[in-house]
Amino acid sequence: MGRVYEMAYRLGVTPWERASLGSGYATQLSTLLERESVGLEAPSKALDMGCGTGDHSIELARRGWQVVGLDSVARAVEKASAKASAAKVDAKFLQADVTNLPAAVGTGYRLIIDVGCYHGLAVQERIAYAQQVTAVTDLGATLLMFAFGPGRRGPLPSGADRTEVEKTFNGWRLIGDELADTRGLAAPIRRTAARWFRLIREG
């Protein structure tokens, strides 16, 4: 999927980043992020896996999180940094492989947000991803993940289901599984039966 994303950002074809303001998707995501931010003790650290051009990282920073956004595509990271600067929020962005996090990421994260990253990885990459997430988070940390339902869709990610997610994330308990409101997203995404998974690290 890495080359697909590189090409998409080069051509400016990134429909997953074009949710309309006030849409069902945007409203649901805002509600989910607000829930994670209630009672936030600053500075609490959040990691945005596959951050793209940084919209979710910026939103988290506005809510008081100390945010690091990661993406494998240099062009996306550059745009994310520029957008955060324009928005006057403090968010750090790194070009990095989510299956092999660099030392620069650090540890002590209380929230991991993943909007469309994990569900595009191959099986062994998903295992490595889960191990890396566990290594950088504290006990009690939350993982909030948006993932397509399983299916073959050509260039689109293959998706993930609850059983697979629970099996992959050893030491985590899945406490939330709800249908994603995809209104406002591109038509192909609206047909993916996407869900929001919420996991808590217990081990």
Side-chain angles (χ1 to χ4, degrees):
M1 290 297 299
R3 291 181 180 177
V4 172
Y5 285 122
E6 286 180 11
M7 181 64 70
Y9 280 107
R10 186 176 298 119
L11 298 176
V13 182
T14 56
W16 56 86
E17 295 195 325
R18 296 179 183 171
S20 57
L21 293 175
S23 66
Y25 171 81
T27 300
Q28 184 183 39
L29 176 58
S30 179
T31 298
L32 293 172
L33 295 182
E34 181 62 27
R35 178 181 62 191
E36 301 304 335
S37 302
V38 171
L40 181 65
E41 297 180 5
S44 290
K45 297 171 67 176
L47 191 63
D48 184 358
M49 304 287 268
C51 65
T53 61
D55 290 341
H56 303 122
S57 296
I58 291 169
E59 184 61 28
L60 284 168
R62 284 175 174 152
R63 293 172 183 271
W65 291 93
Q66 183 180 337
V67 188
V68 176
L70 306 176
D71 204 281
S72 63
V73 181
R75 187 180 296 266
V77 172
E78 291 167 2
K79 288 185 176 180
S81 295
K83 286 168 73 171
S85 179
K88 294 182 171 55
V89 300
D90 186 13
K92 179 180 180 181
F93 297 95
L94 300 172
Q95 184 180 6
D97 178 356
V98 296
T99 68
N100 185 22
L101 299 181
V105 170
T107 58
Y109 290 91
R110 298 293 303 171
L111 174 64
I112 306 292
I113 182 170
D114 176 337
V115 181
C117 180
Y118 173 87
H119 71 181
L121 300 175
V123 173
Q124 290 303 313
E125 291 175 325
R126 293 181 181 195
I127 293 171
Y129 172 110
Q131 292 171 341
Q132 294 291 291
V133 164
T134 300
V136 301
T137 50
D138 287 343
L139 289 174
T142 300
L143 167 61
L144 185 62
M145 178 193 296
F146 174 94
F148 296 170
R152 300 191 177 206
R153 308 180 182 93
L156 292 180
S158 59
D161 62 22
R162 176 182 183 132
T163 299
E164 190 270 336
V165 169
E166 289 183 301
K167 180 180 178 181
T168 304
F169 284 87
N170 293 321
W172 294 73
R173 179 166 59 94
L174 195 151
I175 62 170
D177 175 4
E178 61 183 289
L179 187 65
D181 189 336
T182 55
R183 290 175 297 167
L185 297 177
I189 297 175
R190 295 199 302 270
R191 295 192 288 267
T192 62
R195 306 193 73 82
W196 284 103
F197 297 116
R198 185 172 184 241
L199 299 91
I200 300 293
R201 186 183 164 200
E202 296 186 329

